[in-house]
Amino acid sequence: MAAAETTIADPETDRRLMAAALRLGRRHLGSTFPAPAVGVLIVRFDTGVPVIVGRGATPPGASGHAIAIALDEAGEAARGATVYTSIEPTIRHEDGASDTDRLVAAGIQRVVSAMDDPDPQRGGAGHARLRDAGLQVSSGILGEEARRVHAGFIARMQAGRPHVTLKLAVSADGMIGRSSGERVLVSGKEAFARLQAMRIETDATLIGIGTALAADPSLIVRVPGLKSLSPIRVVLDTQLRLSPQSALVQGAGEIPLWVIAGPEAPEAARSALVAAGAEIISAPLGSGGVDLPAALRTLAERGITRLLVEGGARVAASLVGQGLADEVVLFRAPVVVGPDGVRALAGRALSAIERSPRYRIIEEAMLGDDRMVRYERTS
Ligand SMILES: NC(=O)c1ccc[n+]([C@@H]2O[C@H](COP(=O)([O-])OP(=O)(O)OC[C@H]3O[C@@H](n4cnc5c(N)ncnc54)[C@H](OP(=O)(O)O)[C@@H]3O)[C@@H](O)[C@H]2O)c1
């Protein structure tokens, strides 16, 4: 029989256990949209040493709730225990389930959460409900880390668009390819592995039609056994120039392919792509092709919270120019492409990111011969 009360942890133990809860939730990042990938631990401190008695992560497809899963595992051991959750418990989910009711009924003594719910309608309400019911609540533990893990959920709730990460493989002289279309930037296996992980952790990945025509990519996860974790593939293609024979379209039966077209796209091309398994989404025209803010809004309405943009130059320039790239990941390869190269930002210098006060470096690493630099937009 579990004891009725457990000891309260010190701040360092709280942070360590919250880091573990965040890692647990992160396992399903990219597979839970539109729900956040929540991680939950239920911990007892009877002997002074933390003992985890329940674990929960939002399952793929968000077919359950992390808190309910963790409470089910803990059973009676939840009475008097502490819950570590990567986001504020919800009073009522869309399916009618209530995290807060379940926590109160289970006899939880203390709830430690990393951040408030970013939904303007719900933010703070779950914590208040728990406090009213007599539970101790500590919030904001590892808040910055949680805001990164839940960046997609936050962006969709607060800005009505996905969180956008722009990835570019760039040569030493700031090029992403050669104007002849010839492939020059072959990243090493370490950078390739990192890109696969980025694809797994995103809901959708996007390119412009220029890249589809030049490189014929499939954009699937190319790790043996993990193809089903591939993101939805999205192409910006105003006039529907994408070939039904392209690798993207050929794989559309297995991994969804959405093509965002302008209002005047030819009907015959539309029918051919639909017949081949692609879904066509209409968007108004905007700067450089389709209207990017409108396209991003549409993706968010379809549940997309995290969007990886894999180029090319014009799409990258549009995103950066319109202030829509929240994160930028550059893989810098030690090759020089020369004057016939395609500039990473279609004419604009990369310093629009590298020297901009709007971006700060949050990670730098050598991946084989490639140097990866990750930037986050600060404003
Ligand atoms: N190194 C890397 O990481 C990397 C990654 C990707 C690509 N690349 C290279 O980049 C080159 C392709 O670059 P790219 O600039 O030609 O192609 P892109 O950026 O992939 O596609 C540009 C095209 O997308 C369409 N588009 C629709 N809406 C747009 C919008 N709002 N903003 C911008 N474009 C929009 C436009 O064509 P429509 O008007 O017809 O719709 C536009 O011409 C290739 O050489 C490729 O190999 C390198």
Side-chain angles (χ1 to χ4, degrees), residues 115-134:
M115 57 176 275
D116 283 4
D117 189 327
D119 184 336
Q121 310 289 322
R122 291 192 309 235
H127 289 147
R129 174 71 64 90
L130 294 171
R131 285 194 183 99
D132 288 349

Side-chain angles (χ1 to χ4, degrees), residues 167-171 175-187 195 206-217 235-241 260-262 284-293 295 309-319 322 329 331 342-346:
K167 163 260 154 191
L168 286 172
V170 188
S171 67
M175 308 295 180
I176 62 163
R178 198 158 265 159
S179 38
S180 61
E182 177 200 344
R183 272 194 93 192
V184 276
L185 281 158
V186 187
S187 307
L195 174 60
L206 177 147
I207 56 170
I209 183 64
T211 299
L213 295 176
D216 193 25
V235 185
L236 296 181
D237 184 8
T238 317
Q239 291 300 325
L240 291 179
R241 292 187 282 147
I260 303 186
L285 290 180
S287 157
V290 295
D291 183 297
L292 268 183
V309 176
E310 300 196 42
R314 288 189 180 85
V315 167
S318 288
L319 273 178
Q322 294 180 48
V329 180
F331 293 101
V342 177
R343 281 203 168 278
L345 296 180

Side-chain angles (χ1 to χ4, degrees), residues 278-302:
E279 197 175 333
I280 313 297
I281 299 171
S282 290
L285 290 180
S287 157
V290 295
D291 183 297
L292 268 183
L296 294 180
R297 261 195 315 278
T298 303
L299 293 178
E301 282 160 12
R302 289 173 161 241

Side-chain angles (χ1 to χ4, degrees), residues 336-358:
V336 174
V337 172
D340 68 333
V342 177
R343 281 203 168 278
L345 296 180
R348 295 178 68 179
L350 258 186
S351 55
I353 297 164
E354 290 174 311
R355 299 216 191 99
S356 164
R358 297 184 72 189

Side-chain angles (χ1 to χ4, degrees), residues 155-172:
R156 183 168 178 268
M157 281 295 159
Q158 296 185 344
R161 66 169 176 84
H163 178 266
V164 176
T165 299
L166 170 66
K167 163 260 154 191
L168 286 172
V170 188
S171 67

Side-chain angles (χ1 to χ4, degrees), residues 195-209:
L195 174 60
Q196 304 313 302
M198 288 168 71
R199 282 188 185 156
I200 289 171
E201 288 195 341
T202 195
D203 306 344
T205 190
L206 177 147
I207 56 170
I209 183 64

